[in-house]
Amino acid sequence: MKVLSTVLPEVCIIEPRVFGDERGHFFESWAAQRYVEAGIPGPFVQDNISRSRRGILRGLHLQNPHCQGKLVSVLLGEVYDVAVDVRVGSPSFGRWTAVVLSDTNHRQFWVPPGFAHGFCVTSDEAIFHYKCTEYYHPASEMSVLWNDPALAIDWPVASPIVNEKDSARAFCLTDIPRERLPHYEQARTERRKDG
């Protein structure tokens, strides 16, 4: 597999080695030792799958406490996937990076703990897979507004379909009290404990 860097040092793109012929294809989507060597130690405790149609945007979600690292991929279709550094004190606080994930490029995106995550669907439908380092904790969840002008994320959909959690109940990053957000050193310490 190849590990590709992004503009955010802790976020990376994984390109698995795909073996294919006229029958189809095969690739490893997870091998603990190989991912540890790539700087993605886990442990992973929960897998989630969502299905969405074209134009749906989910995010930007995070949990604090109980920050989740997410290794994400697409099983069917295509999405534009975004990670935003929301760790107070981070040199890249408020910066974002994105990648196109699809069932044809087989890429995975590593979104570490302390980052907000979201995606929008650019195919007719998409089945999205999340491999998470922490269990879902509804009381710890919050949403950063997908169209926060300070973030200026270049989404490929002008008028996405969003739910109330991602619109009316979401906040611009600058409006979230700093004590509610993950802190840079705390996220780094938690990552060292996991690894």
Side-chain angles (χ1 to χ4, degrees), residues 46-131:
Q46 180 174 324
D47 282 22
N48 304 316
I49 294 177
S50 68
R51 185 179 197 132
S52 307
R53 66 181 189 276
R54 183 184 297 275
I56 288 179
L57 190 149
R58 297 182 185 271
L60 300 156
H61 301 150
L62 70 140
Q63 291 185 171
N64 188 49
H66 309 291
C67 295
Q68 289 180 311
K70 297 176 182 176
L71 182 65
V72 298
S73 60
V74 168
L75 305 178
L76 174 72
E78 180 183 275
V79 308
Y80 183 78
D81 201 83
V82 175
V84 182
D85 189 348
V86 297
R87 300 168 302 168
V88 174
S90 168
S92 56
F93 179 81
R95 291 183 59 204
W96 61 274
T97 189
V99 65
V100 173
L101 303 175
S102 73
D103 62 359
T104 55
N105 69 21
H106 310 293
R107 284 178 159 185
Q108 296 172 310
F109 197 39
W110 168 239
V111 181
F115 286 70
H117 171 257
F119 67 91
C120 70
V121 179
T122 53
S123 55
D124 287 340
E125 68 175 338
I127 297 177
F128 193 84
H129 179 251
Y130 313 68
K131 198 167 192 58

